Amino acid sequence: MENKKYALVTGGSRGIGRAICLELSQMGYCVIVNFRDNAAAANETLKMITEQDGKGELMQCDVSDANAIDAALGQWEETHPDCFVEVLVNNAGIRQDNLLIFMQDSQWHDVLDTTLNGFFYITRRLLKGMLTHRYGRIVNVASLSGLKGLPGQCNYSAAKAALIGATKALAQEVAPRRVTVNAVAPGFITSDMTKDLDEASLKKMIPANRFGKPEEVAAAVAFLASDKAAYITGEVISINGGLYT
């Protein structure tokens, strides 16, 4: 019988997701690294986990596809019959920025499907194990865009704002079973997601005068995933260097 503790991080192959995988690994979790397409990056994340004496597994599936999630998690459950995922980090998300007047249907739906539907499909599937075992930690990676709204990101802002609303609602549903649900809302973080932005000019708007690091987001996620955060639920922690408070 396995006695490993499992954590699953969606979109875990790069950037913030990779940093979260490494941090949870250091907490003693066997980390399931979910990815959609970039197998090379996912394998690199897994290599980094093992290099720090951690344990990990890969899970390839598109979180916006309910059938793909059911197939991937069903297979995992078959091979891990005595285990459950006790920490879920809903990190997968994409940006397809455009002014609303020019936004294509696909840009709207792809962004909402990945962030919002992905949260719904995978959380609903894993919640049963947490409720049955009366323990769980769900951390949703939202965004400054979901709190403040950013021009050119009506789709992304809508998805992340909805994720925050779902976080607050679900937290109240599952608290009696010792399952917490929180969110982090990063501002400008150095990653693949922000590599096309003008960092030199944007950082002048940030009181801390710099972009954040993926590891700084991961540290907050790790705290919310820990036993020390057992009485914190339904909260959104901003990680933005004072840009928006």
Side-chain angles (χ1 to χ4, degrees), residues 170-184:
L170 181 60
Q172 296 171 69
E173 294 179 9
V174 299
R177 290 272 178 166
R178 297 176 59 233
V179 177
T180 65
V181 189
N182 292 288
V184 295

Side-chain angles (χ1 to χ4, degrees), residues 81-96:
D82 299 314
C83 302
F84 79 107
V85 174
E86 66 178 59
V87 172
L88 168 62
V89 181
N90 287 300
N91 170 71
I94 59 172
R95 276 179 47 218
Q96 293 188 19

Side-chain angles (χ1 to χ4, degrees), residues 59-79:
M59 180 180 288
Q60 182 174 14
C61 70
D62 182 347
V63 296
S64 69
D65 184 336
N67 292 328
I69 286 174
D70 280 341
L73 289 177
Q75 184 178 28
W76 186 87
E77 288 163 355
E78 285 181 11
T79 55

Side-chain angles (χ1 to χ4, degrees), residues 40-69:
N43 276 293
E44 179 63 24
T45 300
L46 189 60
K47 179 183 176 185
M48 293 170 73
I49 289 172
T50 57
E51 285 176 347
Q52 63 179 27
D53 297 324
K55 303 288 185 184
E57 303 174 3
L58 299 182
M59 180 180 288
Q60 182 174 14
C61 70
D62 182 347
V63 296
S64 69
D65 184 336
N67 292 328
I69 286 174

Side-chain angles (χ1 to χ4, degrees), residues 16-242:
I16 291 173
R18 172 179 286 175
I20 292 170
C21 288
L22 293 171
E23 193 74 24
L24 292 176
S25 169
Q26 290 293 87
M27 292 171 64
Y29 284 100
C30 182
V31 181
I32 304 166
V33 182
N34 162 257
F35 69 102
R36 186 182 66 179
D37 299 316
N38 197 332
N43 276 293
E44 179 63 24
T45 300
L46 189 60
K47 179 183 176 185
M48 293 170 73
I49 289 172
T50 57
E51 285 176 347
Q52 63 179 27
D53 297 324
K55 303 288 185 184
E57 303 174 3
L58 299 182
M59 180 180 288
Q60 182 174 14
C61 70
D62 182 347
V63 296
S64 69
D65 184 336
N67 292 328
I69 286 174
D70 280 341
L73 289 177
Q75 184 178 28
W76 186 87
E77 288 163 355
E78 285 181 11
T79 55
H80 303 74
D82 299 314
C83 302
F84 79 107
V85 174
E86 66 178 59
V87 172
L88 168 62
V89 181
N90 287 300
N91 170 71
I94 59 172
R95 276 179 47 218
Q96 293 188 19
D97 296 354
N98 208 343
L99 296 177
L100 185 69
I101 193 169
F102 301 123
M103 189 170 288
Q104 303 299 305
D105 289 359
S106 61
Q107 292 178 308
W108 177 265
H109 289 296
D110 288 352
V111 170
L112 265 76
D113 285 352
T114 301
T115 289
L116 198 55
N117 291 353
F119 155 80
F120 172 62
Y121 294 141
I122 205 158
T123 304
R124 180 179 61 177
R125 177 64 188 254
L126 293 177
L127 205 51
K128 182 179 179 181
M130 296 181 186
L131 296 176
T132 299
H133 289 85
R134 300 184 69 89
Y135 185 86
R137 296 283 184 270
I138 298 170
V139 184
N140 299 318
V141 180
S143 171
L144 167 69
S145 188
L147 291 170
K148 179 183 181 294
L150 293 176
Q153 290 193 342
C154 280
N155 50 1
Y156 193 70
S157 292
K160 295 300 189 178
L163 184 62
I164 289 170
T167 297
K168 292 176 176 292
L170 181 60
Q172 296 171 69
E173 294 179 9
V174 299
R177 290 272 178 166
R178 297 176 59 233
V179 177
T180 65
V181 189
N182 292 288
V184 295
F188 293 112
I189 307 295
T190 302
S191 69
D192 290 346
M193 187 81 84
T194 58
K195 65 183 179 182
D196 59 331
L197 302 179
D198 183 357
E199 182 172 347
S201 62
L202 285 171
K203 73 179 184 180
K204 296 175 184 176
M205 303 161 43
I206 305 169
N209 196 37
R210 66 176 178 88
F211 276 23
K213 302 173 184 176
E215 292 78 14
E216 292 172 310
V217 179
V221 171
F223 170 68
L224 292 172
S226 73
D227 289 336
K228 294 178 181 179
Y231 203 54
I232 301 172
T233 196
E235 288 301 309
V236 183
I237 297 178
S238 291
I239 308 168
N240 62 36

Side-chain angles (χ1 to χ4, degrees), residues 2-23:
E2 290 184 85
N3 59 2
K4 291 179 185 175
K5 300 191 303 178
Y6 283 90
L8 190 155
V9 180
T10 68
S13 64
R14 296 177 295 169
I16 291 173
R18 172 179 286 175
I20 292 170
C21 288
L22 293 171
E23 193 74 24

